[in-house]
Amino acid sequence: QVMGPDAVKFVEKLTPRLLSTMKVGQCRYALLTDHEGMVINDPVVLRLAEDRFWFSIADSDVVLWLKGILAASGFDVRVEEVPVSPLAVQGPKSIAVIRDLFGDWVQDLKYYHFQP
């Protein structure tokens, strides 16, 4: 998770994907790349607030990579690991399963959006 006054500027240094135009409640698939353009990871990025982003990572120590970049950058942000585990539910019955678990409102979610 990246949060703080410089969150937008910081996260846009990590990926070639434009993230500043995201609305709160929106997600985007993004490649995290190093200074030579090599892919570090490919998370789904969620905009939790105007100054807060969360990288949904399936594996790796991206938080350590983010903290390393932050230490050398001077951006006014805080990087921390959030104690959550993403779960992907896929398949022809996935919407029905999620609806049964969480209610009918999930049917109204657009692709790459979440309920803030």
Side-chain angles (χ1 to χ4, degrees):
Q1 175 170 263
V2 174
M3 64 186 112
D6 293 337
V8 173
K9 290 187 269 185
F10 181 72
V11 297
E12 287 203 328
K13 292 290 183 188
L14 309 172
T15 178
R17 184 82 195 255
L18 184 63
L19 301 178
S20 61
T21 58
M22 291 174 65
K23 293 178 174 36
V24 173
Q26 188 175 9
C27 312
R28 287 198 181 149
Y29 175 77
L31 296 177
L32 299 180
T33 56
D34 68 11
H35 63 285
E36 295 177 335
M38 300 302 294
V39 175
I40 301 294
N41 208 308
D42 63 337
V44 173
V45 181
L46 292 78
R47 190 162 196 174
L48 303 174
E50 290 299 321
D51 63 348
R52 189 169 154 209
F53 293 83
W54 180 59
F55 294 83
S56 178
I57 305 290
D59 61 3
S60 85
D61 289 327
V62 168
V63 169
L64 297 175
W65 180 71
L66 294 174
K67 286 184 176 188
I69 292 172
L70 176 59
S73 72
F75 286 102
D76 185 8
V77 297
R78 191 171 71 215
V79 173
E80 58 186 32
E81 191 160 357
V82 180
V84 298
S85 297
L87 173 66
V89 180
Q90 304 172 5
K93 296 181 181 181
S94 59
I95 294 174
V97 169
I98 295 299
R99 185 185 60 235
D100 289 346
L101 289 171
F102 298 105
D104 291 334
W105 66 269
V106 298
Q107 291 182 181
D108 297 330
L109 284 176
K110 298 176 187 174
Y111 285 106
Y112 281 91
H113 284 76
F114 66 95
Q115 185 76 21

